[in-house]
Amino acid sequence: MKRWISLLLVLLMTGGLVTAAAEETKDMKNFVFEDEIPAELTRAPKQKGGTVTKFGYPSKDYTNDQAEITKYAALYLPPDYSEDNRYDLLVLCHGIGGTELEWGFMNAYSIGRNVLDNLILKGIIPPMIVVMPNGRSTAKAYNTSYDNMGSFYVFGQELRNDLLPYVDAHYATYGHDTQDDLAASRDHRAMAGLSMGGMQTINIGLCECLDLFSMFGAFSAAPTSNPAKDVARKLEDFPDYPVRYFYSVCGTEDSLAYGAASAAAKELPKHTDRLTEENWHWQERSGGHDFAIWNLGLYNFARVMGELHE
Ligand code: FER
């Protein structure tokens, strides 16, 4: 009789363990990427939302003479932000014609900010910090002409040397406690961007900074995004750092970006076994090169971050 009871206990316990393990493995294969942001999430919340400010930080003119300069970034701190908590960090990048203000979070009405506020206030995702840098690593960061394009490609140095260390030192990111080891908090760090910022997410985030970030979102990634076979090869520079997620979205009428975005991301799993249905998603739907797609990208990507948060 005693033996039967112990056997029963063992069975019950292993059953419990198996269930616990299954719950820990997030089945991202079945994650639903929506084609529209639910309308109620785009409206300003009734409760108090997050706060948006701008800060300056020391950097260098990585495009030219390495002169010491101050760069500026917009910053979203979530509702009820507290220095005693720890928050995932999203570095959210702009397009070729924009600056740190292009995502519009500082405007009186901002769909992107409303969506984040609502997702957080409704408990759909955990609160996160979003930093929106100026993606041109040069003293002439406000020259938005195509002639100043080169400054986008060296942004990885600013990100690694200046922006992330500053953000981790001054705000309650997971990296706040391990500032001398940026890689230690990579599970809690994501990079995403629209158009030229999508190119940066692919070429710089995924291909050069996989030790610093684990989640990536490319919205209408611009021409000069690395094609899939190059992305696959560059992942091999970081064998020890898994991609926790790479999500892309592009409008099918986006004649500017569709070719580059799809060449970079649409068939990536054919080129590398590091990306599968579990950690990669390509989304396309009717749309152009505009904020209807980019806010949708932010909505879906923020939910991916929330789903992977642990
Ligand atoms: C290009 C056309 C557009 C290009 C970049 C863009 C690098 C970026 C557009 C955007 O950021 O909206 O040929 O080359």
Side-chain angles (χ1 to χ4, degrees):
M1 185 66 186
K2 251 195 189 148
R3 266 184 42 211
W4 283 112
I5 290 175
S6 0
L7 189 65
L8 194 67
L9 276 175
V10 166
L11 280 173
L12 282 172
M13 279 164 65
T14 40
L17 284 177
V18 168
T19 320
E23 277 164 8
E24 267 164 34
T25 323
K26 308 262 167 65
D27 187 5
M28 292 302 286
K29 219 187 286 181
N30 296 323
F31 184 86
V32 178
F33 290 88
E34 293 175 29
D35 276 337
E36 298 287 346
I37 308 171
E40 71 273 16
L41 299 185
T42 65
R43 294 181 202 118
K46 294 204 175 67
Q47 296 143 276
K48 193 180 173 322
T51 57
V52 187
T53 52
K54 207 168 137 169
F55 68 88
Y57 58 99
S59 186
K60 291 192 177 132
D61 186 331
Y62 291 107
T63 311
N64 301 299
D65 57 0
Q66 315 287 312
E68 289 183 8
I69 57 174
T70 300
K71 285 288 303 286
Y72 296 91
L75 175 81
Y76 170 87
L77 296 177
D80 292 326
Y81 172 78
S82 158
E83 287 183 358
D84 299 332
N85 291 342
R86 292 293 175 261
Y87 301 92
D88 281 2
L89 176 69
L90 169 60
V91 176
L92 186 60
C93 299
H94 62 82
I96 202 163
T99 68
E100 67 273 23
L101 300 181
E102 187 179 16
W103 274 94
F105 278 44
M106 295 184 93
N107 300 348
Y109 185 87
S110 159
I111 290 181
R113 193 189 65 223
N114 288 347
V115 164
L116 278 183
D117 278 345
N118 284 316
L119 285 172
I120 293 167
L121 289 166
K122 289 175 188 295
I124 298 169
I125 64 171
M128 67 169 81
I129 298 174
V130 183
V131 63
M132 290 155 276
N134 181 309
R136 296 181 190 79
S137 289
T138 165
K140 300 194 182 85
Y142 297 95
N143 171 0
T144 57
S145 77
Y146 277 50
D147 298 345
N148 199 19
M149 205 157 74
S151 55
F152 277 99
Y153 298 96
V154 294
F155 179 68
Q157 297 174 66
E158 172 175 338
L159 196 53
R160 184 181 291 273
N161 300 339
D162 311 321
L163 178 63
L164 292 179
Y166 186 92
V167 171
D168 280 348
H170 290 83
Y171 302 99
T173 57
Y174 280 86
H176 188 70
D177 306 310
T178 49
Q179 287 174 40
D180 50 352
D181 181 7
L182 282 175
S185 49
R186 71 182 290 281
D187 280 1
H188 295 280
R189 214 179 276 124
M191 181 169 176
L194 71 88
S195 198
M196 213 55 174
M199 177 286 289
Q200 290 181 308
T201 298
I202 294 170
N203 293 21
I204 294 171
L206 192 60
C207 293
E208 293 178 5
C209 298
L210 195 52
D211 55 331
L212 309 182
F213 297 92
S214 64
M215 298 168 279
F216 305 89
F219 318 147
S220 323
T224 69
S225 295
N226 290 337
K229 68 170 179 13
D230 294 6
V231 174
R233 202 181 56 234
K234 288 187 186 244
L235 292 181
E236 296 319 310
D237 292 343
F238 299 92
D240 301 329
Y241 294 108
V243 179
R244 296 180 69 230
Y245 215 91
F246 177 35
Y247 159 68
S248 300
V249 62
C250 196
T252 46
E253 289 83 55
D254 184 342
S255 53
L256 205 150
Y258 187 84
S262 57
K266 189 171 178 175
E267 300 194 328
L268 251 180
K270 288 189 182 161
H271 299 267
T272 171
D273 58 11
R274 303 272 300 271
L275 294 163
T276 69
E277 300 288 324
E278 287 289 351
N279 64 348
W280 159 93
H281 187 76
W282 167 266
Q283 178 181 27
E284 60 180 55
R285 57 143 247 207
S286 180
H289 200 66
D290 58 45
F291 267 99
I293 292 291
W294 303 331
N295 283 325
L296 175 69
L298 178 61
Y299 166 68
N300 279 324
F301 187 63
R303 291 188 306 116
V304 167
M305 286 178 66
E307 194 66 22
L308 291 176
H309 179 85
E310 49 196 32

